[in-house]
Amino acid sequence: MAAFAIHGDIIWAERLGKLEYIENGYIVVDGSVIASVSSEKPQGIKVIDESHHLVIPGLSDLHLHAPQYPFMGMYMDEELLTWLEKHTFPEEAKYSDAAYAERAYTQFADDLKRSATVNVSVFGTIHTDATLMLMDKLEEAGIAGYAGKVSMDRNSPPSLTEETDRAVEEVRRFIEEGASHDLMKPIITPRFIPSCSDALLEALGRIAADRGLPVQSHLDENPSEVEWVKELCPWAGSYAEAYDHFSLLGQRSIMAHCVWMQESEIDLLSRRGSYVAHSPSSNLNLSSGIAPIRRCIDKDVNIGLATDVAGGSTLSIMRVVQDAVTSSKMRWRYISKDEKPLSFPEAFYLATKGGGSFFGRTGSFEPGYDADIAVLSEKRCSTVISSGLSPAERLELYAYRSPDEDVVAKFVKGKRII
Amino acid sequence: MAAFAIHGDIIWAERLGKLEYIENGYIVVDGSVIASVSSEKPQGIKVIDESHHLVIPGLSDLHLHAPQYPFMGMYMDEELLTWLEKHTFPEEAKYSDAAYAERAYTQFADDLKRSATVNVSVFGTIHTDATLMLMDKLEEAGIAGYAGKVSMDRNSPPSLTEETDRAVEEVRRFIEEGASHDLMKPIITPRFIPSCSDALLEALGRIAADRGLPVQSHLDENPSEVEWVKELCPWAGSYAEAYDHFSLLGQRSIMAHCVWMQESEIDLLSRRGSYVAHSPSSNLNLSSGIAPIRRCIDKDVNIGLATDVAGGSTLSIMRVVQDAVTSSKMRWRYISKDEKPLSFPEAFYLATKGGGSFFGRTGSFEPGYDADIAVLSEKRCSTVISSGLSPAERLELYAYRSPDEDVVAKFVKGKRII
């Protein structure tokens, strides 16, 4: 691809807590990566005029469930375990039907395409073929990242319970057939400890290690779930230790939620370099609680943001930025005055470079980073004082006033998607 | 006006916790009020076809600050008292300029017009003329309810500090000149105890009693504010008692926030029949806390929902419904397991009939209620399972997926506004 530039009000975060911006600047894209960002007009290359628009790095969503998208925003008066049984499992069972999966995943991919999200780590269902189709749809939509065929062999309804050996074979098949994609790659996906036998967890840990594959699962979401894991793994010192025992907690692991982590679990995730997929919208909706993100930051745990559709009721990581900020304020107010609330620039960093680092070099405008770029429409952010606002003020305004993300252009690894 | 009917999927709440609905039903409007709701097509009158659309009662917003709308969604990393000083007061000072006020209030009224809100109780600034203009703009936009010229004579920046006698005179002038409106009426508006001297509060209480006017103010929003009021009114047993002492706490009083109420204050509000303007979005943003709404419900306190623009970062009461539900879950989780979270139907009741009762008979589709009606567009709620959903499921989906309220038609006291 020939080099080109995007002209607009460019804003990004290179480190936690600080926004960088160049008003009326130019991002030069060379092939699939960022070459430079500056206020000088580059010569001899095509310039895409997005002047007066905010230009941000593509967002990363570290955890969401594609098959739950159809009922996103409903049944929010339940807690996790009841909600799984009454609404989630029946919906997920439908994905044995290829025609249903095609309809549902087409809509999911279309809607994600229109958002500011570029990278995802997404759960499918136990159905290998439907999950491969999900990868196709996301790939077509220009979404990058990982998708996982879910593994479940216990404590699940019959329609979603795999026989253990078969479950392992299907994961192997999923890895083989899923490897052919360009933007979307396979990820090992034990649903969570309650729905995976020790034998299955052990096999999955071995596959991840042998193939050098990443892992995604759930950790410490809800007190009843945490209690249940204690009963299921009496030998483990903690929920996180149980994953670790099966070699499922490493540098390439995403653990969703992490609301009820003990201090020793935070330390373990920090040592392992694992990622917390912080899902505040979902944690509020399912009455789970508020994750100790400040403590994770203080201990250098890797953190990204996540919608957790459909515990979360939005596809928008910008809305999750809002919820990360507001819920941290409640944690500070009611749980610990030592845990300073997240600021907006901090939450925006987690939504971009923070979570993006799981996928590689994405989520920032530093040279050599993937040219993952979203151009925002501020049409719903109109205010009589708008002419005096800095890009940093406009970005916060956008996050609060355009929670479902009006995007006018989007580039993934240098390729224009919308 | 001739009678007419609206045909659609009609949904409303007559009591806390239960949604009534008629799919494919007819609301008959006679003049300015609801005549009937039924599944039978009425004969001999015009029928407006909104079939397949959700038809709900117009929403009520019990507390918001019109002059703060320009910076809504910014500066959310501050707490109440700093936020007032650094951002709110400087913006409010601008409303001494009629041209600025006209521009800002025109946009505020336009945006409110497009929302599902029909009734508001809104704060202006200390500026009488600007606040009268605000009433004009809202009236023109078809918004009903109350607007208040704010009273402040202490602990405020010079540009927003009135001399006490002059403050009282201006309130009298505001009442005279504001009385000529049809939909919008004046309301007595001491900002809050810290910014009003005893003499001013006493005078305002007397005017409210003499003229039979309603009152709006702030109560127990933030711990530092509550401490300050203790210092300012050492003679009062509580913040609520201080208002009560000046005859400002009655059946026609709205108290915004009420996050930090003591049990005796809940009892006092219950005895007086005063309204809590529950503002969860704002209370999250300004780190204020989570109001004890379940305890208020249990003690029969009148409650409505409020955006509290611009502590709140949305004009949408539907978004506030979401925040009322999610924040009550955090209160249950972390503060008191005796306080059951609000369900979606409960929060929707507070947004309609609950808060509506302050304004009269509005917010329900019972015969004789004002024909305040919003017709919703579900275009951002599309899901592959939509054909099987009940109106109750669709309404919850709408509240979560369309937080800034797509409205296709709106009627205020029987008159079509959009």
Side-chain angles (χ1 to χ4, degrees), chain A residues 76 107 285 329 380 404, chain B residues 76 285 329 380 382 404:
Chain A
M76 306 269 61
Q107 187 177 43
N285 282 330
K329 290 169 177 171
R380 284 188 283 161
D404 58 352
Chain B
M76 306 268 62
N285 282 331
K329 289 171 178 170
R380 284 189 284 161
S382 155
D404 57 353

Side-chain angles (χ1 to χ4, degrees), chain A residues 30-53:
Chain A
D30 192 2
S32 65
V33 300
I34 305 287
S36 66
V37 185
S38 85
S39 51
E40 314 250 310
K41 184 171 180 179
Q43 299 303 314
I45 59 171
K46 184 183 153 195
V47 174
I48 298 172
D49 183 19
E50 298 290 357
S51 47
H52 310 302
H53 279 148

Side-chain angles (χ1 to χ4, degrees), chain B residues 102-374:
Chain B
E102 164 123 44
R103 273 202 301 143
Y105 285 154
T106 299
Q107 186 178 43
F108 174 74
D110 282 353
D111 289 356
L112 208 50
K113 177 178 182 166
R114 275 194 291 275
S115 78
T117 296
V118 164
N119 296 285
V120 298
S121 188
V122 63
F123 276 54
T125 57
I126 61 163
H127 312 99
T128 306
D129 295 320
T131 309
L132 289 166
M133 182 199 291
L134 171 63
M135 292 179 86
D136 294 342
K137 297 283 175 198
L138 291 173
E139 178 96 17
E140 262 173 62
I143 301 293
Y146 300 96
K149 172 230 167 303
V150 177
S151 299
M152 302 163 75
D153 72 343
R154 67 171 174 182
N155 297 319
S156 306
S159 56
L160 291 178
T161 305
E162 305 173 278
E163 189 272 311
T164 309
D165 292 345
R166 182 76 202 283
V168 176
E169 272 168 42
E170 283 295 296
V171 169
R172 291 188 199 280
R173 179 164 81 88
F174 175 69
I175 294 166
E176 295 311 323
E177 300 187 25
S180 63
H181 294 83
D182 183 30
L183 296 172
M184 290 298 304
K185 301 287 175 196
I187 184 167
I188 301 295
T189 308
R191 183 174 205 113
F192 64 160
I193 298 232
S195 54
C196 299
S197 67
D198 289 4
L200 180 55
L201 291 168
E202 205 179 321
L204 294 175
R206 215 171 316 116
I207 295 174
D210 291 351
R211 311 283 187 106
L213 287 176
V215 173
Q216 61 181 353
S217 198
H218 297 90
L219 176 64
D220 289 324
E221 179 173 2
N222 181 288
S224 331
E225 169 215 9
V226 174
E227 278 311 301
W228 195 9
V229 171
K230 255 187 210 155
E231 287 165 27
L232 292 168
C233 306
W235 47 265
S238 68
Y239 196 162
E241 248 184 52
Y243 285 119
D244 195 49
H245 173 83
F246 295 112
S247 309
L248 290 164
L249 197 70
Q251 271 198 322
R252 306 288 303 129
S253 300
I254 294 174
M255 290 290 140
H257 308 300
C258 303
V259 173
W260 297 96
M261 282 200 290
Q262 306 165 27
E263 207 60 33
S264 66
E265 294 180 282
I266 300 181
D267 292 334
L268 181 58
L269 263 73
S270 175
R271 282 202 305 280
R272 294 288 178 259
S274 309
Y275 279 72
V276 170
H278 178 40
S279 313
S281 314
S282 167
N283 300 154
L284 294 170
N285 282 331
L286 294 179
S287 304
S288 303
I290 304 170
I293 293 305
R294 178 64 61 195
R295 278 159 55 206
C296 292
I297 289 172
D298 291 344
K299 293 201 160 172
D300 289 322
V301 174
N302 286 314
I303 306 160
L305 297 187
T307 58
D308 187 32
V309 167
S313 46
T314 179
L315 257 191
S316 158
I317 284 291
M318 277 303 210
R319 168 62 197 267
V320 177
V321 165
Q322 246 193 70
D323 290 335
V325 170
T326 55
S327 65
S328 73
K329 289 171 178 170
M330 290 306 102
R331 195 170 166 97
W332 168 82
R333 172 62 76 199
Y334 288 114
I335 302 170
S336 163
K337 283 285 176 357
D338 294 333
E339 300 180 32
K340 197 160 61 90
L342 287 183
S343 68
F344 174 77
E346 287 179 321
F348 184 72
Y349 171 86
L350 299 181
T352 51
K353 191 174 174 180
S357 62
F358 184 80
F359 302 95
R361 290 165 69 80
T362 176
S364 180
F365 288 150
E366 294 155 71
Y369 269 64
D370 284 345
D372 293 340
I373 302 167

